[in-house]
Amino acid sequence: MERPPPRRRGTYAKTPGRRQEILRTAIEVFAASGYEGSSFREIAARVGMSETGLAHHFGGKAALLAAVLQAREEEDGARLRLGQGSIAPDRLRDLVAHNAQRRGIVQLFARLSTEGTSKTSPAHEFFTERYERLRRASGANIRRLQDEGAIRPDLDADLVAQILLAV
């Protein structure tokens, strides 16, 4: 008698919730110690699983970092409705007020962006691409606002975008 082929295991209902718990914990650990000072082992222990179990959800520490960064980007984009990822001058007040309510993730993002200046950092490519995307989109948004008469037309839109991003 032939055996039926083994069934493929599907995703478990609690997997998305577990991933969110892991992301929250990783944010706490990365915020406290930075990426370099954190360990995959510590994150696994804090969520009550083995490193192998954690690796099942996120392939490794660098992949977990990428997921944390992506989650923050998605949250900001959804909350502030940032078209094309630009930071519009008229939305900066909303962004600052929102960030004032979530100190840990802001500290983490600032710390990781600093660590990301090193070409050896796993966050380097993320922050390089993010800054370039934001700079281009913000410059285009500023030019649109200039065309609408909301911003002085004699200002260099790309320079204003760089200054806004620096702030």
Side-chain angles (χ1 to χ4, degrees):
M1 180 166 150
E2 260 184 63
R3 286 185 170 195
R7 290 184 341 156
R8 296 180 72 92
R9 292 174 61 163
T11 59
Y12 293 94
K14 61 182 171 179
T15 298
R18 190 69 161 148
R19 286 178 59 86
Q20 288 304 313
E21 177 187 4
I22 294 166
L23 285 174
R24 281 192 303 275
T25 301
I27 287 168
E28 291 170 8
V29 172
F30 290 156
S33 306
Y35 177 79
E36 295 299 327
S38 302
S39 75
F40 203 60
R41 178 177 301 181
E42 178 184 0
I43 296 165
R46 284 198 186 188
V47 295
M49 61 177 24
S50 67
E51 288 181 71
T52 303
L54 183 56
H56 169 76
H57 293 280
F58 299 94
K61 186 177 166 188
L64 181 55
L65 172 64
V68 164
L69 294 171
Q70 187 60 41
R72 183 189 189 261
E73 285 288 283
E74 289 170 6
E75 179 188 343
D76 283 353
R79 182 171 195 309
L80 298 174
R81 299 175 307 282
L82 299 175
Q84 302 297 311
S86 67
I87 296 177
D90 57 336
R91 302 311 294 263
L92 280 177
R93 188 174 330 145
D94 294 338
L95 179 62
V96 171
H98 178 61
N99 282 342
Q101 301 303 312
R102 53 189 201 147
R103 185 174 178 213
I105 189 71
V106 171
Q107 286 177 332
L108 169 63
F109 209 73
R111 187 172 194 160
L112 292 175
S113 68
T114 301
E115 290 179 2
T117 61
S118 168
K119 290 185 180 188
T120 61
S121 168
H124 179 76
E125 186 176 329
F126 172 86
F127 281 105
T128 300
E129 289 174 3
R130 178 181 187 272
Y131 177 76
E132 183 57 29
R133 177 177 37 81
L134 286 172
R135 189 191 59 73
R136 278 192 320 270
S138 296
N141 192 38
I142 290 165
R143 281 187 284 285
R144 179 186 57 78
L145 291 169
Q146 286 174 320
D147 292 343
E148 294 172 0
I151 295 180
R152 290 182 11 205
D154 61 318
L155 297 175
D156 180 324
D158 292 322
L159 179 59
V160 172
Q162 286 178 331
I163 291 169
L164 286 173
L165 289 170
V167 170

